[in-house]
Amino acid sequence: MRLILSLLLLVTATYSAPNIVVVLVDDWGWSNNGIHKGDDSSQASLETHTPNIDKLYEEGIELDRHYTYKICSPSRSSLQSGRHPDHVNPLNTGVIVNNPDDPISGFQGIPRNMTGIAEKLKGQGYKTHMVGKWDAGMATPDHTPMGRGYDSFYGYFQHANGYWNKEGHIESTGDVDLCMNMFTDLFMENATYRGGVLESGELDDSCSGSNEEDPACYEEHLFKTKTLDVINNHDVSSPLFHFHAFHLIHTPLEVPNSYLEKVDAMIAPFEFDDAARRNYSAMVYYMDEVVGEIVDALKAKDMWDNTVLALMADNGGPLYLPGSGNNHPLKGGKYSDWEGGVRTNAVLSGGYIPEGSRGGKYDGLVSIADWYGMFAELAGASIDDPKAETANKWLDDNDLPTLPPPDAVSGMFDSITSLSKENLHPILPLSDQAIIKYPYKLVTGISPYSNWTGELFPNCTTVTDEDLVPWHNDSKLFEFHINWDNDDEVLFMHLWGEDCGDSGCLFNIEEDPNETNNLAGDGSDHDETAAELRGLLEEHRQTLFMPDRGVEDVKACEHSVSIGGYYGPWVDVEDYYTGPFRELTLKQKLLSKAYEEFLEIVSHPRVEEEVFAIVQKIYPFVMRPYLVNSFDYCLPEEEKEGGKAMVE
Ligand SMILES: *[C@@H]1O[C@H](CO)[C@@H](O)[C@H](O)[C@H]1NC(C)=O
Ligand SMILES: *[C@@H]1O[C@H](CO)[C@@H](O)[C@H](O)[C@H]1NC(C)=O
Ligand SMILES: *[C@@H]1O[C@H](CO)[C@@H](O)[C@H](O)[C@H]1NC(C)=O
Ligand SMILES: *[C@@H]1O[C@H](CO)[C@@H](O)[C@H](O)[C@H]1NC(C)=O
Ligand SMILES: *[C@@H]1O[C@H](CO)[C@@H](O)[C@H](O)[C@H]1NC(C)=O
Ligand SMILES: *[C@@H]1O[C@H](CO)[C@@H](O)[C@H](O)[C@H]1NC(C)=O
Ligand SMILES: *[C@@H]1O[C@H](CO)[C@@H](O)[C@H](O)[C@H]1NC(C)=O
């Protein structure tokens, strides 16, 4: 009888499991979202046009305290693995690192043998698909989306690529890797094909600069098309898990011209005074339209009523050049643990949300790791990860760091949909530098981007006054971090550095969400609170997952040449690639020949170091002015002469 009952329950559970659609927006600032702008007729409100997302909030639940990591790859690794970012991948290394001595964790991204959310849902009968930015590892087939349980994947592996040419050039990733950014970063995986995207119309940048309404080679157009295909072709006898990971609103700030015209018209009689902010605004507009189309497709297919749609940003808006996001009135941005860097836009919506709670706001803390637990439980699966536990026996025997279990809390969906006042995260570490014990938050050490921005940011004043917009602090040549200046003090100032020291700065983020009032050392019982949070942070620091991930691997680049000039897995790839492989053009062949010779010379640690030393010396004089001047300028363009000269 019991057995029959549980079988019955199982069948009903499987039958009613909702579709789950996850939409992740990249580098999307707090105030680049309509609901944080109000709907007055100010220029700042008009510039932030997100009607489709506003509607998701109206029909869903606003997650007012959704916390992510301060940068992309850790947040994405957390979302997929259910671990706190510090317990899976707190780094933003390049994709081609490898440490052959650790076959489980010696790579970028999520270690092998952690169970991804797609694998979990697949085990519950879901069809699983992903489109867009991965950035959670690609070294072996186990690291790719398919290796993590997605039935299909169409997208790219690195932090970013070109929206038009789909290459991993320096303007996209900020890095020059050992492969010299030579290859295409657009890949496909399914049951019958695994390799670089071959369709020439999808690969090339032939539509760049076109005045068409929605040019077909724009990367977001391709992503949208693939996602709509997945929905339209879905057989509704199984539930769907779909992950749409936008490239938008990440750099490079490339967008069809028609969208620039749209936002110009939208804000009239106001005008944009700043080129980068205008592009960012147009990219938000495009992104929001895609969200609308995804919702419409789910409705047209009669799937909406049984769908949970989760939309969130992976970190706060980047304030540096050329990031151009804005988190006003929150302090700081991407790369910092200030609220502007880690408290991000998020909404839980879809027809599956109980009617009584629609339009509500959930004030409890939600970690980006929690989605894993929420989706697993919605699908009737447990949160724990036996596969990782099995691997831990082997890791332990081999003296390698063991894999932490998932951190996602149980019961998050019910807590949110009942708008519960109980906080499931009384304590939430943000990184090895910061922690929340609500309503208090402690930030320690040096943080970049420790400042507030105005309502309109960046703007023509920030173009002309260097002090008002910070520099980027994560450019790399091979493994080496490049400083934008050789003078530490100048650098610190231009990164908007703030040093809270080991003892830390303390804020009450409930009363003071803008983090304007540092309570540490004010002589009251706040000192005790600060000491308690320091203790909790120290405990968290003992749990960081920091395996040796190795160094950049020349073999990754050589392998890229052999598969037609794409970034892709290069370790343990027997039986992985299906072919056919793209024929390299004559130019590419010559280039790759020259490149192989070059690799021979350059890929010695000593030579790498010497090349780096030279680049670092001249960087502030050669590269920095070039980059700063091309990243942003005043509009209308004639004003450029008045401000900084544009690079020709
Ligand atoms: C896999 O992708 C290839 C290339 O786009 C396509 O031709 C094929 O139909 C796909 N196979 C499946 C099973 O979806
Ligand atoms: C804005 O987008 C256009 C079209 O993609 C591009 O040509 C231009 O360089 C971009 N401007 C900035 C400042 O990024
Ligand atoms: C945060 O800053 C905004 C904009 O300046 C202001 O309207 C708001 O009152 C501030 N919040 C608090 C609690 O001080
Ligand atoms: C890790 O997972 C792979 C693939 O599932 C498996 O073959 C391997 O034995 C696992 N390794 C350990 C140490 O458990
Ligand atoms: C800039 O980045 C370097 C390397 O990651 C780091 O050591 C330094 O603290 C950063 N500077 C600031 C002001 O955050
Ligand atoms: C331009 O940006 C600066 C720096 O954030 C800010 O102080 C100023 O208010 C902004 N200008 C406008 C018009 O918002
Ligand atoms: C912070 O921003 C204000 C203007 O918004 C500016 O006056 C100040 O110099 C900035 N501080 C730093 C450290 O850049």
Side-chain angles (χ1 to χ4, degrees), residues 94-98 158 168 173 175-183 476-480 550-558 560-561 567 570 591-592 594-609 611:
V95 278
I96 64 168
V97 297
N98 179 210
Q158 308 204 49
T173 61
D175 297 348
V176 176
D177 63 26
L178 261 188
C179 308
M180 301 295 291
N181 307 61
M182 281 241 313
F183 306 114
K476 284 190 209 102
L477 176 66
F478 314 135
E479 347 269 318
F480 303 99
V551 293
E552 290 196 341
D553 184 356
V554 179
K555 289 196 210 84
C557 311
E558 289 163 355
S560 287
V561 174
Y567 288 93
W570 77 98
L591 263 175
S592 56
Y595 167 69
E596 270 170 40
E597 311 271 317
F598 173 80
L599 265 191
E600 282 281 299
I601 306 167
V602 91
S603 65
H604 295 279
R606 253 192 59 107
V607 181
E608 279 182 27
E609 257 171 64
V611 172

Side-chain angles (χ1 to χ4, degrees), residues 198-375:
L198 296 172
E199 286 290 323
S200 59
E202 302 181 12
L203 268 188
D204 64 30
D205 61 356
S206 53
C207 70
S208 161
S210 118
N211 289 321
E212 284 166 66
E213 159 79 20
D214 186 15
C217 82
Y218 185 54
E219 188 169 53
E220 292 294 350
H221 173 91
L222 297 169
F223 290 165
K224 172 177 71 179
T225 308
K226 304 295 165 189
T227 284
L228 296 179
D229 283 351
V230 166
I231 295 170
N232 294 333
N233 296 333
H234 178 64
D235 174 352
V236 294
S237 59
S238 323
L240 171 69
F241 176 63
H242 185 70
F243 179 36
H244 186 93
F246 278 107
H247 184 174
L248 295 166
I249 323 296
H250 197 292
T251 56
L253 302 183
E254 294 169 340
V255 62
N257 295 333
S258 58
Y259 280 77
L260 294 173
E261 284 162 24
K262 279 185 201 195
V263 290
D264 282 346
M266 171 178 88
I267 71 162
F270 298 106
E271 285 176 10
F272 286 97
D273 63 339
D274 178 279
R277 194 177 84 244
R278 176 179 182 232
N279 281 34
Y280 195 102
S281 169
M283 292 164 86
V284 169
Y285 190 120
Y286 192 106
M287 183 273 290
D288 179 80
E289 278 194 348
V290 173
V291 171
E293 287 191 53
I294 293 174
V295 171
D296 287 348
L298 290 164
K299 287 185 175 160
K301 186 93 185 188
D302 254 348
M303 288 167 69
W304 181 251
D305 289 346
N306 194 34
T307 292
V308 169
L309 191 149
L311 178 135
M312 80 251 6
D314 63 339
N315 45 248
L319 304 181
Y320 49 80
L321 286 169
S324 306
N326 194 0
N327 307 305
H328 175 87
L330 303 182
K331 179 177 183 177
K334 182 177 179 185
Y335 284 101
S336 80
D337 287 306
W338 305 118
E339 294 288 274
V342 294
R343 179 181 174 190
T344 67
N345 298 318
V347 59
L348 182 66
S349 198
Y352 191 78
I353 303 298
E355 261 174 55
S357 48
R358 292 184 192 167
K361 177 149 118 177
Y362 180 68
D363 301 313
L365 273 63
V366 181
S367 154
I368 189 156
D370 289 331
W371 296 105
Y372 184 94
M374 196 192 295
F375 301 154

